[in-house]
Amino acid sequence: MTSVDSEGRSTASQNPMANPRGAEQATTGEDAAASSALSGPQSTSPTPTLTSDSPPMVAAPSSPYAPGERDAKDRPLDAEGGTRDLFVIPIPKRLQWNPLNPPKFTLLLNAIFGFSATFTVANLYYPQAILIQMADNFHVPYHRVTNVPTLLQASYAVGLLTICPMGDLVRRRQLLLLLVLCSSIASLILALVQNILGFEILSFVLGLVSVTPQVLLPLAADLAPADRRASAISIVLSGLLLGILCARVLSGAIAQEASIAVIYWMSFGLQCLIWIMLWATVPDYPAKNPHLRYIDILMSMAKYAVTEPVLVQSCLIATAASAVFSCFWTTSTFLLGGIYGYDSLEIGLFGLVGICGVCTAPFVGRLVDRLVPWLGVLLGISLLAVSQILFTAAAGVSVGVVIVTIFILDVGQQGQQVSNSSRIFAINAAARARLSAVYIFSIFCGQLIGTKAGTTVYLNSGYRASGGLCLGLIGWMLMILLLRGPHLPIDRWVGWAGGWELRKAVADRKRAEKAEREKASEKAIE
């Protein structure tokens, strides 16, 4: 019988693809879970070494377990699901777990994931455009209301590290509904609170439970067919960027015409709508690792953060890319207000250009699905470099350059994020929530670094210096990427073994041919 450790790595020597029900999948490639589910018991023939850009094992929606298989307690498979949400609310019959008919990931469900990500993460950014109105509303000095966005970001970081990993431990439908219910209640109370202390406390709570997108992201990777995984991920990631941009536009526009309470009434309505949509569409996917304890999940997440070469590389790149993104948006505000004399509303409208760039996400996702993910990261970094070269050279000469920079920057950011996400989700199918939490936390750290460094450099030396800083970070990203080739085995830190092939279909065909040759050789020996 195969044993499994807390990181989900199989310890069996003969059959690395086999896994008992309820155990995590072996770290052997992008879709070991689906292969185990749809193929049943595996043979003892050798499994080829897989790389960080290995192909999916199957192209069907993945099921974590084989039909009819029993767990350690011999419970029926459907016992892993349930019939009620939060112990009270009935789950629609069509969404209840059925091992013989695993859930299908539809375009509608993908769109709902993107919408939910947009207006959940927006909770973190509503206050940033209305700090002056907030100070007037609560009759406090400006420096006091700056605590609100700080508390939101701090609690969000806590949620990333403590709540998101639970996606590998519990049923994701229940976790999602509980989080959105909590964010709805917090938004409602924020609309009613009348003092700054209460507003700060509730803001901390709201940031803590606004991690719904980070639960949706690995769930989308689990549900989507392997040949559409990058497209599915791109839509959820685009929701994150849209939430940042839309929140600033919406809150600024509403605060000019109404009180800040209206913003949180709107948020409450949106959270209720999200809850209803998730209840009506999200399948009750079983818990992936019910044999693990919460402390095991946290400890294994920390171990992944320092022992997985692909994850470490992706996080270093993501931190720098996020710093570039935040640095640009921070310094562009000063640039547009100082050199061009735009007011806050006009500056906020530049976010609409960013929204146009984010809306290219489905096309970016389809492109990444056809490429080796390593190449997708390289193309994303290249677009970031083009955007910052334009900004550094001529942002103060023509506002048109700023507009073009915004669009290219957002497309490049989409490209590298989607490609990096595809790479890290291939590490271990049973640990995607933990891998995602580490990756998103690195993005969050990059945002903090970029905002602080960009502001300091711009105020001291101007926009060309801040652009130079961004170009330096992009050079760092390129160096980190080139340390590992596109087909280097996932357990190696540096090198270019495995070839240079950048076309995904060709690379998949060569890998399949190699596996067939190894299998034929093994049979000949026997």
Side-chain angles (χ1 to χ4, degrees):
M1 180 174 177
T2 304
S3 62
V4 181
D5 63 19
S6 63
E7 281 77 42
R9 301 185 187 279
S10 172
T11 58
S13 60
Q14 291 183 329
N15 188 7
M17 292 298 290
N19 62 303
R21 182 167 161 213
E24 294 192 39
Q25 314 302 324
T27 308
T28 53
E30 193 167 282
D31 233 356
S35 178
S36 177
L38 299 179
S39 302
Q42 305 294 313
S43 69
T44 58
S45 59
T47 302
T49 300
L50 298 187
T51 72
S52 58
D53 295 314
S54 295
M57 304 302 293
V58 293
S62 61
S63 167
Y65 313 115
E69 193 178 356
R70 302 282 176 169
D71 66 4
K73 297 181 180 178
D74 290 330
R75 292 181 299 166
L77 184 60
D78 57 4
E80 293 292 345
T83 59
R84 293 188 178 274
D85 288 321
L86 309 178
F87 306 106
V88 176
I89 306 166
I91 302 175
K93 185 71 175 177
R94 59 189 170 78
L95 299 176
Q96 293 178 17
W97 172 247
N98 180 356
L100 302 179
N101 184 24
K104 295 178 175 59
F105 193 70
T106 64
L107 181 60
L108 174 62
L109 184 57
N110 203 172
I112 289 173
F113 278 21
F115 180 88
S116 302
T118 297
F119 291 105
T120 303
V121 79
N123 291 329
L124 304 173
Y125 297 96
Y126 289 133
Q128 292 189 0
I130 58 170
L131 292 177
I132 295 176
Q133 293 92 329
M134 195 179 294
D136 294 339
N137 183 75
F138 292 117
H139 308 292
V140 295
Y142 294 151
H143 68 83
R144 177 66 185 273
V145 295
T146 59
N147 291 337
V148 173
T150 301
L151 288 168
L152 281 165
Q153 296 295 327
S155 61
Y156 175 68
V158 173
L160 284 176
L161 296 177
T162 60
I163 296 177
C164 292
M166 293 179 66
D168 285 337
L169 186 65
V170 302
R171 291 154 57 198
R172 265 79 61 83
R173 177 184 168 93
Q174 313 303 306
L175 180 59
L176 285 168
L177 294 179
L178 181 60
L179 286 173
V180 178
L181 176 63
C182 291
S183 63
S184 301
I185 295 172
S187 297
L188 174 62
I189 300 175
L190 281 168
L192 299 172
V193 72
Q194 297 295 317
N195 63 82
I196 187 63
L197 178 60
F199 198 91
E200 290 171 341
I201 294 172
L202 266 297
S203 293
F204 185 89
V205 174
L206 182 61
L208 184 68
V209 297
S210 291
V211 293
T212 299
Q214 285 68 46
V215 179
L216 290 171
L217 190 61
L219 179 58
D222 283 341
L223 293 177
D227 60 348
R228 285 182 46 220
R229 182 162 295 139
S231 298
I233 291 171
S234 70
I235 291 176
V236 181
L237 285 172
S238 69
L240 288 173
L241 292 178
L242 278 174
I244 296 172
L245 299 172
C246 288
R248 292 168 176 168
V249 175
L250 285 173
S251 62
I254 291 174
Q256 282 202 342
E257 303 296 333
S259 69
I260 63 172
V262 174
I263 297 170
Y264 287 97
W265 282 115
M266 177 193 70
S267 176
F268 170 67
L270 287 169
Q271 301 306 300
C272 291
L273 177 60
I274 290 169
W275 195 96
I276 293 170
M277 289 193 301
L278 293 179
W279 176 85
T281 58
V282 175
D284 190 27
Y285 204 73
K288 296 168 75 173
N289 305 292
H291 65 292
L292 294 180
R293 300 171 300 167
Y294 180 63
I295 187 64
D296 296 330
I297 292 288
L298 296 182
M299 291 178 65
S300 63
M301 182 176 70
K303 184 175 180 180
Y304 282 132
V306 295
T307 60
E308 290 293 342
V310 176
L311 178 62
V312 173
Q313 182 190 44
S314 297
C315 287
L316 290 173
I317 293 172
T319 301
S322 182
V324 170
F325 186 81
S326 298
C327 179
F328 168 79
W329 279 104
T330 301
T331 57
S332 65
T333 300
F334 296 123
L335 176 76
L336 293 170
I339 295 178
Y340 294 103
Y342 293 133
D343 61 29
S344 58
L345 180 59
E346 291 168 331
I347 293 173
L349 292 176
F350 277 81
L352 298 177
V353 180
I355 291 173
C356 292
V358 172
C359 288
T360 63
F363 305 102
V364 172
R366 285 181 199 149
L367 177 63
V368 173
D369 275 326
R370 290 170 171 80
L371 299 174
V372 171
W374 185 95
L375 179 58
V377 178
L378 179 61
L379 292 177
I381 293 173
S382 300
L383 288 175
L384 292 178
V386 170
S387 72
Q388 293 311 299
I389 290 172
L390 287 173
F391 181 80
T392 305
V397 177
S398 170
V399 72
V401 172
V402 179
I403 293 172
V404 172
T405 297
I406 291 172
F407 184 83
I408 297 176
L409 177 77
D410 282 11
V411 175
Q413 184 76 336
Q414 283 285 317
Q416 69 84 21
Q417 281 192 351
V418 172
S419 301
N420 268 325
S421 297
S422 297
R423 299 177 77 212
I424 66 169
F425 286 149
I427 294 172
N428 187 347
R432 284 174 175 156
R434 282 165 283 172
L435 296 169
S436 177
V438 174
Y439 180 66
I440 298 297
F441 185 75
S442 70
I443 293 176
F444 171 79
C445 292
Q447 291 176 348
L448 298 181
I449 294 169
T451 300
K452 178 64 175 177
T455 301
T456 302
V457 172
Y458 181 90
L459 293 177
N460 289 330
S461 305
Y463 75 89
R464 284 197 169 92
S466 67
L469 171 64
C470 291
L471 288 172
L473 289 170
I474 292 168
W476 161 261
M477 293 160 59
L478 186 61
M479 183 188 72
I480 295 296
L481 179 67
L482 294 177
L483 287 175
R484 303 187 77 257
H487 302 291
L488 188 69
I490 61 175
D491 59 346
R492 291 179 57 182
W493 289 90
V494 179
W496 277 74
W500 296 64
E501 181 57 58
L502 300 177
R503 294 167 295 174
K504 191 173 185 179
V506 176
D508 291 352
R509 185 175 68 249
K510 288 182 177 179
R511 195 175 289 110
E513 291 172 353
K514 181 180 178 182
E516 286 297 323
R517 288 196 301 270
E518 290 178 353
K519 186 175 181 180
S521 176
E522 179 69 18
K523 286 183 178 179
I525 293 174
E526 291 176 354

